[in-house]
């Protein structure tokens, strides 16, 4: 696998594990009693677990029960490796048995993917039309349809060509080399050749090449931020398992490889990503629309063709008519127009520092109803910030506490860890140079403190110590005087998830005295609270999903106004990678997840389950994250959002990649995506309405209108338009309708969704009105030879020939089609929102072009009787057609407004219920709601106090009466 940043550090060629215990069969039994006691002590700069009455347990080793839930399966029979490591022959045997230390990748050939885009329902409809055009030797239309088919397939193939990027990025993250001891000698080998039971060297700055169990020796610190989301390194003791993908930050030790490849914690993360293989929501919607149109067109075409054949028409003539209906029913440009709309929208999102990795995710972002957010680095700054300084020594100031903490470090050198950085950045280092550092004892995970001996400017020698509060307190001579108050403070901080660092000082020959307590926290980003409020205003519920400790999660959630109902993953079921997800997750756990404000101390499988349960409950779920641990949930979510600084794995699994810090850009992206969704929905309503108009018009015209029954228009059995006329309508209207990507729209105040029953109802209603107007116009035009007809008596139009009638109907259909765009783009009257400038310009271009073509039709063909099948009309007839279409456009728009009001009034397909629920959810999380709840609680307290006062008054009065 290629080398990436996470594996950039190398390990010395001859590693030496320091502080080893005497050798044993597996390198673990030699742990001393002191080390075993230390394993139960507090972690560096932390307090004991909150359940024991103190602060965060960030670096605390998990309880056995918890560890069983989160650790990978280890075959103990493979772990009995001695000091000399495995024999080469044994290693080769295990390599054959367990495979390489690499992630398995499910691949699909590019050819199969490419062919798949030409064999779906919509492509098959177009292929059928192409085949029929070839049978009747209409080569012009044949090439036009073939070109559109190739264009649609190519666009879809380009989108799918990025499949598998998430797994590829995870695979690229595997360390290419590792130091392993075999046959008693250290050697550098390819990390893919490691096997369970190998003895490897872990050194500071190096990466962990597989899941490894720590051997006997001093504890080491492991940075697992990319895996678990924990802000600080975790101290690991002999017997603990360091996970592949983490980095050693302090110490060095031997370890025994426990799991490799897909069996590792890291590998199971990749397996969960690969398990997500389903069609996107937008593709599902297009498929449903295609099936809807396919069923309608198939039924109408078969009925019409059967009717024509029964009436004595030739088969090829009937087949040609079937081509007309088939071409009319195929939304040829739907995929191209929607893809173009999303592509143009992605540019706007890029301007807002949000890069779209999968275009169809724009549609799903507009539908998002719940946003599950990672905490560390997403809601918070991912860096420790000093909170409060509490002096304990009489006369000590905050500056004294900070100065003592800084003197217990190498202030003239670069900071060695995050806490030294925090302290040194909070104090003026200039005055520190007046002190002379005589001795310095750096921090180590066992001692949990840092000490220094210094000489002050006046020549006095003193000692300073900083470290975990209970450790430092034990060395202070005034510990009994301050213990109660000190431990109460630490307890209060711990319950709020705030870490504490104690500082003590003592002048020789006296002992140490507690100077003060420094508190620090990974604080929320400045804009996070407002971002969450804006998300709630947009109808989106926000939940925190973090690997951090529950106390820290509750404090962060409380600070951000998200609530403090934070649950642990013990409430969730177990899930094994490469197994099918239960279909009852939503029913069994959905309500619990809905009601809580978030989860803490979760692992990748928990995030995965939470997202899946919400999706099964019908929510459109978004997930943010930045680490490898977030990648499976990012992939499973409807919208995976990788925040700034995310790992390659997270970015590859995500649909949206943020290049600016924090979540503020997400709300802007949601608003933009809803605008894009509105444009696509408007286009789909327009396109379905036009399809219904054409299909129903030709179907009814064939069955109910026979030109030979009208005087002076010929002996045709049925009415139809040349296929080229329909192709021209498609090219002009669908070609220029791409400008809808620039239309002016107003984003919905609530999450969008493809409410297909409503969409089909509106589109059908618009189509029916258009069909009625077209049928009426056709009847009037064919009756123009009748002296009593409306055309002659009212409009003075008479004696229209069949070629002129066809051209007028062509102009009417073309104009009605484009006018339907302006009806479909609003739920109210069309004048309530002005269209975009480019859309208006394209409307003028399309309608004027259609008008010019109707005046001078260039595609006429000579029929058997020597007449043209279609010829241009005069300007007067064109003006009449324009006025006629505009009148019906107003009628169509008014009918649409009435329909929407009826649909909302009768709550069709949950239209009103969904709107009310969204508004209710937004109000529950709003400041007004919280203020109302506080006022309600105050009112209850006043009533209780009044009742108590009244009760006491009666008691006093009764006592007074008794005394008298």
């Amino acid at each position: 696998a290629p080398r990436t940043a996470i594996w950039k550090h190398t390990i010395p060629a001859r590693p030496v594990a320091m502080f080893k215990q005497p050798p044993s069969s597996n390198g673990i039994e030699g742990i001393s009693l002191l080390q075993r006691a230390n394993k139960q002590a507090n972690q560096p700069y932390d307090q004991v677990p909150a359940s024991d009455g103190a602060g965060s347990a960030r670096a605390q080793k998990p309880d056995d029960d918890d560890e069983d839930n989160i650790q990978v399966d280890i075959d103990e029979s493979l772990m009995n490796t001695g000091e000399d490591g495995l024999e080469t022959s044994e290693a080769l045997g295990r390599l054959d048995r367990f495979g390489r230390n690499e992630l398995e990748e499910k691949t699909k050939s590019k050819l199969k993917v490419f062919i798949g885009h030409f064999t779906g329902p919509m492509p098959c409809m177009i292929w059928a039309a192409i085949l029929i055009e070839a049978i009747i030797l209409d080569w012009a239309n044949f090439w036009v349809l073939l070109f559109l088919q190739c264009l649609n397939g190519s666009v879809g193939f380009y989108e799918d060509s990025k499949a598998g990027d998430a797994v590829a990025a995870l695979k690229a993250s595997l360390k290419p080399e590792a130091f392993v001891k075999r046959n008693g000698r250290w050697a550098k080998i390819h990390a893919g050749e490691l096997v369970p039971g190998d003895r490897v060297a872990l050194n500071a700055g190096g990466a962990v090449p597989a899941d490894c169990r720590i051997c006997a020796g001093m504890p080491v610190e492991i940075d697992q931020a990319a895996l678990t989301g924990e802000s600080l390194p975790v101290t690991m003791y002999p017997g603990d398992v360091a996970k592949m993908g983490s980095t050693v930050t302090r110490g060095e030790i031997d370890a025994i490889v426990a799991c490799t490849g897909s069996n590792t914690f890291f590998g199971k993360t990749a397996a969960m990503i690969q398990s997500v293989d389903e069609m996107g929501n937008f593709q599902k919607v297009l498929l449903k629309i295609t099936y809807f149109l396919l069923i309608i067109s198939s039924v109408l075409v078969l009925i019409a063709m059967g009717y024509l054949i029964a009436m004595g028409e030739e088969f090829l003539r009937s087949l040609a008519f079937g081509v007309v209906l088939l071409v009319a029913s195929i939304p040829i440009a739907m995929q191209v127009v929607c893809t173009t709309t999303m592509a143009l929208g992605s540019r706007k999102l890029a301007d807002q520092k949000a890069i779209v990795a999968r275009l169809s995710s724009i549609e799903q972002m507009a539908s998002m109803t719940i946003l599950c957010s990672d905490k560390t680095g997403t809601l918070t700054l991912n860096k420790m910030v000093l909170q409060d300084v509490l002096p304990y020594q009489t006369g000590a100031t905050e500056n004294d506490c900070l100065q003592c903490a800084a003197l217990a470090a190498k202030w003239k050198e670069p900071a060695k860890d995050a806490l030294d950085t925090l302290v040194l950045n909070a104090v003026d280092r200039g005055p520190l140079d007046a002190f002379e550092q005589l001795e310095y004892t750096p921090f180590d995970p066992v001692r949990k403190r840092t000490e220094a001996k210094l000489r002050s400017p006046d020549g006095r020698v003193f000692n300073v110590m900083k470290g975990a509060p209970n450790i430092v307190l034990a060395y202070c001579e005034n510990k009994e005087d301050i213990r109660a108050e000190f431990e109460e403070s630490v307890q209060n901080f711990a319950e709020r998830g705030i870490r504490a660092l104690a500082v003590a000082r003592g002048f020789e020959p006296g002992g140490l005295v507690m100077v003060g307590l420094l508190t620090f926290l990974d604080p929320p980003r400045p804009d996070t609270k407002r971002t969450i409020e804006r998300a709630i205003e947009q109808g989106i519920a926000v939940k925190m999903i973090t690997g951090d400790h529950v106390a820290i999660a509750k404090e962060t959630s409380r600070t951000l106004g998200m609530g403090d109902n934070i649950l642990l993953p013990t409430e969730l079921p177990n899930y094994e990678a490469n197994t099918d997800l239960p279909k009852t997750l939503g029913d069994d756990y959905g309500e619990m997840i809905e009601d809580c404000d978030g989860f803490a101390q979760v692992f990748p499988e928990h995030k995965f389950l939470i997202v899946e349960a919400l999706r099964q409950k019908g929510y459109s779920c978004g997930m943010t994250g930045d680490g490898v641990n977030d990648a499976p949930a990012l992939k499973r979510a409807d919208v995976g959002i990788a925040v700034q600084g995310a790992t390659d794995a997270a970015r590859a699994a995500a649909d949206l990649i943020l290049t600016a810090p924090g979540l503020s850009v997400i709300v802007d992206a949601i608003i933009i995506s809803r605008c894009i969704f509105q444009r696509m929905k408007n286009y789909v309503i327009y396109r379905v309405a036009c399809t219904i108009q054409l299909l129903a018009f030709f179907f009814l015209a064939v069955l109910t209108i026979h030109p030979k029954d009208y005087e002076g228009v010929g002996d045709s059995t049925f009415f139809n338009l040349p296929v080229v006329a329909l192709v021209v309508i498609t090219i002009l209207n669908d070609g220029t309708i791409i400008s809808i990507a620039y239309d002016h729209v107003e984003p919905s105040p609530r999450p969008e969704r493809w409410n297909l029953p409503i969409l089909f109802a509106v589109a059908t209603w618009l189509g029916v009105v258009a069909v009625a107007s077209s049928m009426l116009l056709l009847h009037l035009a064919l009756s123009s030879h009748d002296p009593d007809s409306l055309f002659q008596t009212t409009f003075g139009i008479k004696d229209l020939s069949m070629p002129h009638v066809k051209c007028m109907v062509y102009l009417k259909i073309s104009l009605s089609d484009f006018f339907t765009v302006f009806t479909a783009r609003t739920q109210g009257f069309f004048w309530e929102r002005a269209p975009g400038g480019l859309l208006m310009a394209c409307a003028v271009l399309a309608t004027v072009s259609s008008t010019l073509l109707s005046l001078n039709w260039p595609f006429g063909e000579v029929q058997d009787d020597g007449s043209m099948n279609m010829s241009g009309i005069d300007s007067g007839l064109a003006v009449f057609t324009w006025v006629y279409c505009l009148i019906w456009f107003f009628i169509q728009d008014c009918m649409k407004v009435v329909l929407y009001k009826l649909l909302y009034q009768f709550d069709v397909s949950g239209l009103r219920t969904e709107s009310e629920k969204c508004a209710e959810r937004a109000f529950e999380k709003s400041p007004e709601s919280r203020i109302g709840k506080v006022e309600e609680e105050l009112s209850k307290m006043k009533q209780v106090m009044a009742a108590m006062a009244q009760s006491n008054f009666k008691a006093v009065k009764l006592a007074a009466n008794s005394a008298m």
Side-chain angles (χ1 to χ4, degrees):
R3 189 182 291 269
T4 60
I6 196 171
W7 302 116
K8 65 183 179 181
H9 304 292
T10 58
I11 303 176
R14 298 295 262 171
V16 179
M18 300 177 65
F19 310 115
K20 285 187 179 180
Q21 298 296 322
S24 61
S25 61
N26 59 9
I28 294 175
E29 283 82 1
I31 305 175
S32 67
L33 292 176
L34 175 61
Q35 287 174 309
R36 292 184 184 275
N38 284 328
K39 291 180 70 173
Q40 306 302 320
N42 295 321
Q43 304 306 312
Y45 302 148
D46 271 341
Q47 298 85 37
V48 296
S51 60
D52 293 336
S56 167
R58 160 70 71 178
Q60 189 74 20
K61 182 179 177 181
D63 294 335
D64 291 340
D65 292 340
D66 294 335
E67 191 169 359
D68 290 339
N69 291 331
I70 64 177
Q71 298 297 334
V72 294
D73 295 329
I74 299 176
D75 187 347
E76 295 296 338
S77 65
L78 303 173
M79 304 299 292
N80 298 320
T81 304
E83 288 289 334
D84 292 336
L86 295 176
E87 295 292 330
T88 301
S89 58
E90 176 66 18
L92 291 175
R94 294 187 183 186
L95 185 63
D96 291 337
R97 176 183 172 187
F98 296 101
R100 293 179 60 83
N101 182 33
E102 296 172 345
L103 304 184
E104 297 179 3
E105 184 177 358
K106 296 179 181 179
T107 58
K108 191 176 182 180
S109 70
K110 293 288 186 181
L111 179 61
K112 186 177 292 186
V113 173
F114 182 77
I115 293 175
H117 287 282
F118 292 89
T119 55
M122 186 180 293
C124 287
M125 292 172 65
I126 301 178
W127 284 125
I130 292 173
L131 179 62
I132 294 174
E133 294 290 355
I135 292 174
I136 63 177
L137 305 180
D138 191 347
W139 299 113
N141 295 327
F142 172 86
W143 291 113
V144 169
L145 293 174
L146 185 61
F147 170 76
L148 291 176
Q149 176 78 301
C150 294
L151 180 63
N152 285 334
S154 300
V155 170
F157 174 71
Y158 174 77
E159 281 297 300
D160 282 351
S161 64
K162 300 177 182 179
D165 282 352
V167 175
L170 282 171
K171 189 173 182 180
S173 297
L174 284 174
K175 181 173 174 57
E177 295 179 344
F179 282 88
V180 62
K181 196 174 188 180
R182 290 179 180 173
N183 302 320
R185 300 180 60 185
W186 288 101
K188 181 171 68 174
I189 67 171
H190 192 286
E193 298 175 4
L194 289 177
V195 297
D198 263 328
R199 178 178 286 271
V200 295
L202 304 180
N203 282 26
V208 180
D211 283 4
C212 302
R213 181 181 285 173
I214 307 298
C215 292
M218 295 297 290
V220 293
E221 290 189 6
I222 306 290
D223 182 359
Q224 299 186 133
L227 293 172
T228 64
E230 293 177 297
S231 303
L232 292 177
V234 175
T235 302
M236 289 200 169
Y237 301 87
D240 289 339
V241 176
K243 299 176 182 65
M244 179 169 67
S246 54
T247 305
V248 182
T249 59
R250 191 192 298 266
E252 55 183 23
I253 196 72
D254 284 3
I256 306 299
V257 173
C259 299
T260 59
S262 60
N263 294 320
T264 63
F265 180 92
F266 193 75
K268 290 186 176 182
T269 299
M272 281 189 284
I273 293 178
Q274 292 192 67
S275 68
V276 181
D277 183 19
E278 62 180 8
M279 184 182 298
N281 184 64
F282 184 60
Q283 282 72 28
K284 292 178 182 178
V285 170
L286 288 184
L287 196 61
K288 289 179 181 179
I289 295 172
T290 302
Y291 280 136
F292 174 76
L293 299 179
L294 176 61
I295 292 172
I296 291 178
S297 62
S298 299
V299 171
L300 296 186
V301 167
L302 290 175
I303 293 175
M305 287 183 62
Y307 175 79
L308 290 175
I309 294 173
M311 294 294 292
E313 288 294 330
E314 297 179 1
F315 175 76
L316 285 180
R317 187 173 173 82
S318 301
L319 185 62
F321 172 77
V323 171
V324 175
L325 280 184
L326 191 61
V327 171
S329 68
I330 301 173
I332 296 175
M334 183 178 290
Q335 178 73 44
V336 175
V337 171
C338 290
T339 300
T340 303
T341 302
M342 290 187 290
L344 293 173
S346 69
R347 297 180 188 175
K348 293 184 179 180
L349 289 171
D351 293 338
Q352 298 293 326
K353 308 298 183 184
I355 299 173
V356 178
R358 183 170 59 91
L359 282 181
S360 59
S361 65
I362 294 176
E363 170 262 340
Q364 290 173 301
M365 179 174 291
S367 308
M368 188 194 305
T369 52
I370 288 183
L371 175 62
C372 298
S373 176
D374 186 43
K375 181 188 74 68
T376 306
T378 305
L379 298 177
T380 66
L381 293 171
N382 195 21
K383 61 180 181 181
M384 291 299 163
V385 174
L386 190 67
Q387 297 292 301
D388 298 308
V389 180
L390 283 72
Y392 273 89
Q393 187 178 25
T394 303
T397 64
E398 292 185 3
N399 187 65
D400 291 334
C401 296
L402 289 172
Q403 190 176 73
C404 288
L407 290 173
K410 291 281 189 179
W411 69 86
K412 295 182 180 180
E413 300 177 4
K416 297 298 188 298
D417 54 44
L419 294 179
D420 276 353
T421 301
L422 180 149
V423 171
L424 294 177
N425 288 340
V427 71
D428 182 6
R429 301 192 197 185
L432 301 181
D433 292 336
F435 294 85
E436 179 184 0
Q437 195 172 75
L438 305 176
E439 297 178 12
Y440 176 71
T441 305
F443 172 86
D444 74 64
V446 174
R447 301 174 73 250
K448 294 180 174 49
R449 64 185 186 276
T450 302
E451 300 174 70
K453 177 181 287 190
L454 304 105
R455 180 179 287 112
S456 64
D458 60 5
R460 300 176 65 189
V461 176
F462 65 96
N463 296 293
V464 290
M465 176 188 294
K466 73 171 185 285
N470 62 325
I471 298 294
V472 175
L473 180 65
Y475 286 89
C476 294
E477 60 181 16
N478 63 334
K479 57 187 174 185
E480 297 304 328
D481 298 333
I482 65 171
R483 182 184 297 277
E485 181 184 357
F486 183 85
E487 291 183 347
E488 182 181 0
S489 298
V490 172
Q491 167 71 16
N492 292 335
F493 287 127
E495 291 175 352
R496 295 168 53 196
I498 299 177
R499 295 182 178 83
L501 179 70
V503 181
R505 176 181 58 187
F507 288 93
E508 293 187 348
L512 293 173
V513 176
M514 183 67 69
V515 177
L517 202 61
L518 311 182
T519 64
F520 50 94
L521 186 70
D522 179 13
R525 293 181 182 275
D527 60 345
T528 298
K529 186 173 184 178
R530 178 54 189 153
T531 298
I532 293 173
E533 291 175 353
R534 291 179 62 200
I536 293 172
E537 291 168 2
Q538 295 295 323
I540 301 172
V542 183
K543 297 184 184 297
M544 178 191 298
I545 313 294
T546 177
D548 217 335
H549 193 271
V550 64
I552 300 173
K554 285 186 175 182
E555 175 66 12
T556 303
S557 183
R558 183 192 61 79
T559 303
L560 294 174
M562 298 172 63
D564 57 2
N565 183 19
I566 306 297
L567 303 181
L568 291 170
T570 52
E571 306 289 338
L572 298 171
N574 293 326
Y575 168 68
E576 292 293 333
N578 295 317
T579 60
D580 293 333
L581 285 167
K583 300 299 183 183
T584 59
L585 274 177
D587 295 334
D588 297 339
Y589 301 94
E591 186 175 351
M592 175 193 70
I593 297 174
E594 288 178 65
D595 295 339
C596 75
D597 299 311
F599 284 85
Q601 297 174 219
V602 300
F603 278 77
E605 60 269 25
H606 302 133
K607 296 184 179 183
F608 197 75
L609 287 169
I610 291 167
V611 169
E612 178 61 21
L614 289 172
R615 295 179 77 241
Q616 288 186 12
K617 285 289 287 183
Y619 289 99
S620 180
C621 187
M623 174 71 192
T624 70
D626 58 355
V628 174
N629 63 314
D630 301 319
L634 292 178
K635 187 72 173 179
R636 190 66 186 174
D638 295 292
V639 184
I641 305 170
V643 299
Q644 185 193 41
T647 61
D648 288 343
R651 288 197 297 267
D655 303 306
L656 192 70
I657 302 169
L658 306 185
T659 58
L663 291 179
S664 59
V665 68
I666 291 182
V667 177
D668 296 329
I670 289 171
I671 293 174
I672 292 174
S673 67
R674 290 183 183 177
C675 291
I676 298 168
F677 186 97
Q678 284 274 356
R679 296 181 182 113
M680 290 194 298
K681 185 172 70 173
N682 295 343
Y683 168 75
V684 171
I685 292 175
Y686 148 78
R687 194 63 186 85
V688 174
C690 292
T691 297
I692 292 174
Q693 174 186 349
L694 289 171
L695 279 170
F697 170 70
F698 283 112
F699 177 76
L700 293 175
V702 167
L703 267 62
T704 62
I705 295 181
H706 305 289
K708 65 180 181 181
D709 296 338
Y710 292 85
E711 183 181 350
V713 292
D715 58 352
S716 299
T717 305
F718 63 94
F719 177 85
N720 73 327
L721 289 180
V723 176
V724 67
L726 293 173
V727 172
V728 169
I729 291 174
T730 299
I731 292 176
L732 276 178
N733 289 5
D734 276 353
T736 55
I737 202 65
I738 293 178
S739 61
I740 202 169
Y742 298 93
D743 188 23
H744 169 63
V745 295
E746 294 179 359
S748 170
R750 60 181 182 272
E752 294 276 15
R753 72 181 177 99
W754 289 104
N755 195 332
L756 292 183
I758 299 295
L759 186 149
F760 286 136
V762 174
T764 302
W765 188 244
L766 297 179
V768 167
V769 175
V771 168
S773 64
S774 297
M775 291 294 293
L776 178 61
L777 181 64
L778 176 59
H779 172 71
L780 293 176
L782 292 175
S783 303
S784 63
H785 291 269
D786 184 356
D788 298 327
S789 68
L790 188 63
F791 260 30
Q792 286 202 26
T793 59
T794 305
F795 306 113
I797 301 173
K798 59 183 179 178
D799 301 334
L800 294 178
S801 65
M802 179 60 73
H804 291 141
V805 171
K806 288 184 178 181
C807 204
M808 183 174 67
V809 171
Y810 154 76
L811 179 59
K812 192 275 171 189
I813 292 174
S814 183
L815 294 178
S816 291
D817 270 11
F818 218 102
F819 289 164
T820 302
V821 173
F822 298 102
T823 306
R825 61 187 295 274
T826 64
Q827 293 188 9
F829 293 104
F830 73 92
W831 62 76
E832 292 180 1
R833 187 174 72 243
L838 185 59
L839 177 62
M840 198 66 194
C842 288
V844 172
L845 174 63
T847 53
V848 169
S849 298
S850 296
T851 303
L852 294 176
L853 287 172
S854 67
L855 294 174
N856 302 279
W857 185 251
F859 306 111
E861 297 178 2
V862 180
Q863 302 182 102
D864 295 338
D865 59 0
S867 63
M868 301 296 291
N869 68 338
M870 187 167 163
S871 57
I873 58 178
D874 59 42
S875 58
L877 196 57
V879 171
F880 169 83
T881 306
W882 264 88
V883 173
Y884 182 85
C885 290
L886 287 173
I887 292 173
W888 275 96
F889 166 64
F890 279 96
I891 296 173
Q892 185 186 50
D893 195 61
C894 292
M895 298 292 283
K896 172 206 66 180
V897 173
V898 172
L899 176 64
Y900 270 117
K901 289 185 177 179
L902 290 174
L903 293 173
Y904 189 88
Q905 178 68 30
F906 292 99
D907 196 24
V908 178
S909 191
L911 190 63
R912 188 181 72 245
T913 300
E914 182 181 358
S915 176
E916 291 174 349
K917 281 184 177 180
C918 196
E920 181 181 350
R921 185 167 60 243
F923 177 76
E924 287 177 354
K925 293 289 185 177
S926 66
E928 292 82 0
S929 175
R930 291 196 291 269
I931 292 173
K933 290 179 180 178
V934 171
E935 290 177 345
E936 183 179 350
E937 291 298 325
L938 288 174
S939 177
K940 291 180 179 179
M941 290 178 63
K942 288 180 180 179
Q943 293 176 4
V944 171
M945 293 176 67
M948 292 175 63
Q950 182 68 22
S951 176
N952 291 336
F953 173 76
K954 290 180 178 179
V956 171
K957 186 175 181 181
L958 181 62
N961 291 335
S962 299
M964 295 175 62

